[in-house]
Amino acid sequence: MYRASIIGAVLFAVAVPAAAQLVSVQLDYPPAELRAGIQGVVGFEVALAKDGKVTGCKITQTSGNADLDRQTCSQLRKTGQFKPAVDPAGQPIKSTYASRLRWSLPHTLETAPAPAPAPQ
C-alpha cells in the first residue's frame, strides 16, 4: 500500500503538463517614443522552441504606435528568456506564449516638474 501511494503521487506530479513561462526580458524604450512621451500596451504572442528560445513573434493587439509594437517583438526575440512548456511526461515541447506588455515612461520623466524660470 505504501509503495502504491508513492508511485501514484509520482505519476500525478509527472502527468500534469505545464505552460511556457516568461522568465525575463530586457526592454529598451525606443528613443523617439521616450522623448515624445509615448506610452502604450502591446499584445503579443511568441512561438517557442523546445529549449524556450523565441522562434517567432506576432502582435495580437497594437499599442497604436508602430515603433512600440516593433520594439516589443524585437526585444522578445533578442533578450526574452522563457521556461519551455512541458508535456505530461515532463519533456519540453514547442509552444506559444501570449501576453501584453505595458510601455510606460520612467516615473522621473512622467512627473518631473517644469524647470523654474531663470532669475531676472
Side-chain angles (χ1 to χ4, degrees):
M1 176 102 166
Y2 181 72
R3 186 175 184 174
S5 296
I6 291 174
I7 291 172
V10 171
L11 288 176
F12 177 76
V14 173
V16 177
Q21 297 175 355
L22 176 62
V23 175
S24 70
V25 64
Q26 178 183 332
L27 298 173
D28 294 325
Y29 219 104
E33 280 62 31
L34 183 63
R35 284 189 301 275
I38 296 173
Q39 302 181 90
V41 177
V42 181
F44 66 89
E45 181 178 278
V46 290
L48 302 170
K50 289 181 181 183
D51 61 3
K53 291 191 178 172
V54 176
T55 59
C57 181
K58 67 179 178 180
I59 300 303
T60 57
Q61 176 187 353
T62 182
S63 65
N65 180 279
D67 288 333
L68 289 181
D69 295 350
R70 272 192 295 274
Q71 189 75 342
T72 297
C73 278
S74 175
Q75 293 298 290
L76 286 164
R77 282 188 191 104
K78 289 179 187 174
T79 68
Q81 295 180 348
F82 291 84
K83 181 177 178 183
V86 296
D87 66 15
Q91 297 300 310
I93 57 173
K94 292 180 183 179
S95 63
T96 59
Y97 176 87
S99 189
R100 294 184 317 202
L101 191 145
R102 179 179 304 278
W103 290 94
S104 58
L105 297 173
H107 183 67
T108 54
L109 292 179
E110 278 186 298
T111 59
Q120 294 185 354

